[in-house]
Every structure is written in structure tokens, then in C-alpha cells.
Amino acid sequence: MVAKVKGPTDHVVVVGAGLAGLSAALRLAGAGRKVTVVERESVPGGRNGLLNKDGFAFDTGPSVLTMPDLIADALACVGEELKDWLDLVPLKPLYRAFYHDGSQLDVHADTNQMQEEIARSISPAEAIGYGKYVDFVTKLYKYEMNDFIDRNIDSPLNLLTPNLARLIALGGFRKLASKVNQFLKDPRTQKVYSFQAMYAGVSPQQALAIYAVIAYMDSVNGVFFPKGGMHAVPRALAGAATKHGVVFKYNTTVTALERSNGRATAVITQDGERIPCDVVVLNPDLPVAWQELLGGQPRSVKRLKYSPSCVTLLVGSNKSYDHLAHHNIHFGQSWDGVFDELIKKKTLMSDPSILVTVPSKDDPNLAPPGKNSYYVLFPTPNLSAGIDWEKTGPKYRDEMIRALEARGYTGFGEGIEVEQLTTPLDWKNQGMEQGAPFASAHTFFQTGPFRPRNLAKGYENIVFAGSGTQPGVGVPMVLISGRLAAERIVGPIK
């Protein structure tokens, strides 16, 4: 039996309208609970935020959407259909990868199309290896999803299922890089099918092969773009929740939980409002929620190691570049070196790998006529590196622009009309421990049953949701975490 919260569950207060909080709220409303969502910002979304500036609309958080079935699943809990709430465009290609030698590779979800692309750009033998790799990650996903990702885990013993044996036999607990290299021999394909480990906060050399499921989720299952930008997702979830009776209190910060005999009895807001409740779901970053609302972090949370961070530069520009896709990855020559710098040495990348997203390419309404919006992401160490971002930030912004111009973005700096820089210090000020938007790293002992549980130890009726708890980081995982939180309250949701 999976552990559940104790006592009555009639009224649930969800603190934070991030994707996990919204996912939980929809499921709880569908199960007949009274739900109140308290959100400090004026809009839903949490890390999946929105910035409007001089006619440009920017997503401030995740830019890659995969596994839209998980959004459909949350909406279905209240009888709503995805197509009535979101207009999703399948991206073709999913990514365009650019390499230091001037070559490029378009990544497609369709396996036959991708094999043709690899055969043409690299070699027929590499295309065959890619086909075998797809078989591997598809099996990995099948064995992993139900037993290890999409379920509440109370103990490592919960993992003792036939699928564990299948994962071991597949090589799921070997290192990701060596497993990818077993199928793919060219450094270009190796990079494009293992860079996703960075989202999990570990290098491909250190990550377990089970993290290839992230590559499955985007490179095989597909990448989508919601019209209106990524912020359309939380707007849709919050809209459906409101329609079905969930009450949202925006511009309201929870400053304390009223507790009695190991139970939360109410949440207290910054203006002294007391909202009584039977259960609390906490969607802020888990270590921050412990620190600010539960009286301090337990030792297990204090010991957590965090993923690398990133600097993002949101740019409204009068420049456009014909050679770009929606998502563009520019790999430097160094690969192992990048991860060594970010994770071991905790220094800035000397030969950066860069993600550039061009949302206005698929939704021109996100920029004024004839203009473009760019989302530029450079991975960096988290705040444990001791970099003084107040001083380093402006200089690094100039370095980012120089690196982009060297990679083919001619005149990028002079085309900027609007910009917003976000550094690890800014992420920390937004409530992310160590300034790490990718939360605690998915090392072996911070994964699955070893990741912080979603039941708050010492409390009967406080549940966590979000990337800091199980199952982990990324939009799909966070949506699942909302479901797992709801199941701790109302039991299995069909």
C-alpha cells in the first residue's frame, strides 16, 4: 500500500501555481475536493513565467515542451480536452544541431526520416546504429515509466519489480555516455542524443543510462510548441481549473503554515489572511519550502547536491537569421570538457554549448511585425561556485553576444531592441536553492526512492510537488509530480 496523508482531505490548499501545483489542483478538483491555489505572482506558471516588454512576449522558464499527453491527462481529470485549451504545433525539426566543424544535423521524431538524415549527413552505418538506439530508449521508457517515474515510491523495495530486472538486463544502470556510444559512433550523434543529461544535472559520463528516457521523451516522442508560447500551458491548466471550481488567489504570498500536533491547519498570507485547510500541497522549490515554511531543512535536504545553473538572455531583435530552426543547439568542440568545467571545476564554459530558441518563428504574434524574439541559454555552474554574478553578469552578457556572433548570428548585438538577463543569482532570488532552476542533481542517490519524498516527514498532511521531489526535473516530470501529490491525498486516479 502506498502511504497517504492522514485525516480529512475535504479542502486542499495548493501553495504555488507552478505546473506541478496546477496538475495537482486539476486532479484534486476532479476527485471532488475543494481546492484553493495561492500564488505570489499575478499569473500562473511559477518557473514557467511570462515577460511582456515593448510588444515582445517572452517565456522566462522552460522552452521545450514534450509529452503533451501529460497535459491532456491533467485536463481529462475535470472532463476537459486538450484541443479546447491549447493549440500545439509539432516542431519539424525538433532541434537543429550546429557543430564546430561547420556541419549541422536536423533532429526528427520520425525514425525513418531521422535515419535518412543521418545516412545523408554522416553515414549509412551510423543510421543503422541510430535505429538500434531508438529501440533501446523505447524499451527503456516502457520499463521505466510505470514502475519508476509515474508512481509514488515509499521505499527502494518498491522497485523490486520484473521491470527492474529488464532495466538491468538492458544496461539501464550503466553510464549513459558509454551506452549511447555503443550504438552511435559519430561525436555529432553522440552529443545530440546525450546532451539532455544536462537537464538532469549530471554529465553524460556520470549519468546512468536510464536518463536516456529524456532523449526518448523529446527526440523520439516529439517536441511541440504551444501557440502563445510556453506560458499558454499554465494559462490553460489554470483556466480549466477555474472553470471547475478551483479558487485562485494571485498576488498573494504564503508566509507561514499554522501547525498543530504534526498537522497543518491553515496557511497564513503576507497580509495576515488565514486560510484553513485539511491538506497543504507545497509547490515552491522543496528545500526553500522546508526553510521558509516548515522551520528549517532536515539533514537529508541540507546534504543535497544541485544541478548546474544557467544564464538566459531574452532578446527582442530587429534581426532574423534564415538558417535557424525553432530550437537550435550550438555545440562547442569541447564536450567532456564542458561538463568538467560546469560540474567538477565549477567554472564558466571556455568553449560554450548554447541553446537558442526562436519562438516568433512559429508564432509571429510574440513579437512586433517584422521583429523576432530569441531565448538564449548558456549553462553555468550554480551558486556553490562562488561567482559574484552582480559583477560577472554584465560582462558575461557581452561574452554571450560575442559567442553568438562567432557562431553565425551576424550583428546580433546591434539588433537588440529589448533584453532581459537572468543569472543564477536571479534564480535564487526567485526562490530556487543554489540558483539552480534544474533543482537537485539526478545522481544515483538523488533519484527514484532516494530523491526527497513528496510526503513531508514529521507532518501528517503536507505534500510536496515540483522538480525537487519525485520523480524529478523537466516539464513532464513536474506534471507527473502533481499527479503523485494528488494521489497521496485521494488515492489512485484513473
Side-chain angles (χ1 to χ4, degrees):
M1 283 292 289
V2 171
K4 287 173 60 181
V5 302
K6 294 187 172 76
T9 62
D10 299 336
H11 181 205
V12 182
V13 171
V14 179
V15 179
L19 292 175
L22 294 168
S23 168
L26 282 163
R27 296 167 200 289
L28 292 165
R33 301 306 189 268
K34 179 185 174 191
V35 182
T36 304
V37 179
V38 186
E39 168 55 48
R40 68 181 179 186
E41 301 297 333
S42 57
V43 292
R47 295 179 198 194
N48 193 167
L50 176 69
L51 172 70
N52 286 307
K53 217 169 179 180
D54 299 346
F56 292 91
F58 298 103
D59 289 308
T60 59
S63 63
V64 178
L65 180 64
T66 63
M67 308 292 287
D69 290 359
L70 294 169
I71 302 168
D73 181 51
L75 291 168
C77 290
V78 291
E80 296 291 333
E81 290 196 40
L82 180 67
K83 64 178 171 43
D84 296 329
W85 290 92
L86 277 174
D87 181 3
L88 293 183
V89 180
L91 293 182
K92 295 174 182 175
L94 314 178
Y95 301 99
R96 181 162 289 156
F98 297 87
Y99 300 95
H100 73 278
D101 62 1
S103 63
Q104 64 182 64
L105 189 69
D106 280 0
V107 181
H108 303 286
D110 181 280
T111 309
N112 294 330
Q113 193 181 3
M114 194 64 216
Q115 282 190 299
E116 286 168 18
E117 171 83 9
I118 292 173
R120 185 176 63 250
S121 303
I122 298 172
S123 74
E126 192 72 356
I128 292 166
Y130 158 78
K132 290 177 179 169
Y133 178 70
V134 168
D135 289 344
F136 165 69
V137 293
T138 304
K139 281 181 186 156
L140 205 60
Y141 177 79
K142 189 172 93 179
Y143 298 151
E144 221 175 311
M145 192 66 181
N146 292 339
D147 280 10
F148 304 97
I149 295 174
D150 199 4
R151 67 179 283 209
N152 278 304
I153 297 169
D154 289 325
S155 143
L157 297 175
N158 293 153
L159 301 182
L160 299 177
T161 71
N163 281 340
L164 178 65
R166 293 183 183 114
L167 278 175
I168 293 168
L170 259 185
F173 293 95
R174 293 213 211 110
K175 294 289 190 256
L176 175 64
S178 60
K179 198 69 194 167
V180 168
N181 299 358
Q182 187 182 318
F183 301 103
L184 302 169
K185 306 302 179 192
D186 190 282
R188 288 168 291 182
T189 45
Q190 289 171 351
K191 286 176 183 179
V192 92
Y193 288 108
S194 64
F195 80 88
Q196 296 89 349
M198 198 180 288
Y199 300 144
V202 277
S203 73
Q205 296 76 26
Q206 291 304 311
L208 297 174
I210 48 175
Y211 291 117
V213 291
I214 307 176
Y216 171 88
M217 286 174 177
D218 68 12
S219 303
V220 180
N221 197 58
V223 176
F224 299 82
F225 177 68
K227 283 289 173 79
M230 286 291 284
H231 199 262
V233 176
R235 282 200 301 269
L237 295 175
T242 302
K243 179 181 170 183
H244 291 274
V246 174
V247 174
F248 284 83
K249 291 177 177 281
Y250 292 111
N251 300 306
T252 305
T253 301
V254 171
T255 51
L257 298 185
E258 186 180 284
R259 305 190 297 271
S260 171
N261 299 325
R263 287 185 72 78
T265 51
V267 303
I268 311 298
T269 71
Q270 88 270 23
D271 44 17
E273 185 186 2
R274 178 181 181 274
I275 307 170
C277 56
D278 297 310
V279 184
V280 176
V281 175
L282 293 176
N283 190 195
D285 197 22
L286 177 140
V288 175
W290 270 110
Q291 191 63 41
E292 295 185 357
L293 297 174
L294 297 175
Q297 298 174 353
R299 192 179 304 133
S300 59
V301 172
K302 282 183 182 157
R303 285 201 305 255
L304 290 170
K305 291 188 167 54
Y306 288 84
S307 301
S309 184
C310 60
V311 170
T312 59
L313 183 63
L314 308 176
V315 166
S317 171
N318 56 36
K319 290 271 194 254
S320 64
Y321 302 93
D322 294 340
H323 65 288
L324 298 181
H326 187 103
H327 293 300
N328 306 275
I329 307 170
H330 300 267
F331 291 107
Q333 182 167 4
S334 165
W335 183 237
D336 295 1
V338 162
F339 290 98
D340 271 352
E341 287 171 338
L342 291 173
I343 295 168
K344 287 187 186 161
K345 297 176 185 164
K346 298 193 175 181
T347 58
L348 296 169
M349 298 180 290
S350 55
D351 178 15
S353 286
I354 308 163
L355 172 70
V356 180
T357 293
V358 194
S360 52
K361 192 173 180 67
D362 287 281
D363 189 349
N365 294 328
L366 298 172
K371 306 289 172 76
N372 276 293
S373 59
Y374 296 91
Y375 175 107
V376 180
L377 185 150
F378 277 53
T380 67
N382 62 40
L383 288 178
S384 68
I387 295 167
D388 179 348
W389 281 104
E390 290 205 342
K391 281 188 186 155
T392 304
K395 288 186 285 195
Y396 197 60
R397 173 252 181 221
D398 295 344
E399 277 183 41
M400 291 168 79
I401 288 166
R402 273 198 297 276
L404 287 166
E405 291 180 342
R407 306 274 177 104
Y409 292 76
T410 310
F412 190 80
E414 68 198 36
I416 294 175
E417 296 186 358
V418 170
E419 66 179 278
Q420 169 114 348
L421 186 77
T422 306
T423 72
L425 183 61
D426 299 313
W427 298 126
K428 180 177 189 292
N429 293 339
Q430 289 176 34
M432 296 170 220
E433 186 77 7
Q434 293 287 353
F438 304 115
S440 51
H442 279 270
T443 55
F444 182 78
F445 287 110
Q446 294 185 173
T447 294
F450 309 115
R451 199 162 182 80
R453 286 179 74 203
N454 55 4
L455 286 174
K457 193 173 182 184
Y459 299 95
E460 291 184 348
N461 64 340
I462 297 176
V463 187
F464 294 108
S467 56
T469 184
Q470 298 170 9
V473 178
V475 172
M477 303 294 191
V478 164
L479 289 165
I480 290 169
S481 85
R483 185 207 337 214
L484 298 182
E487 290 189 345
R488 291 290 194 190
I489 298 162
V490 298
I493 296 167
K494 294 295 177 233

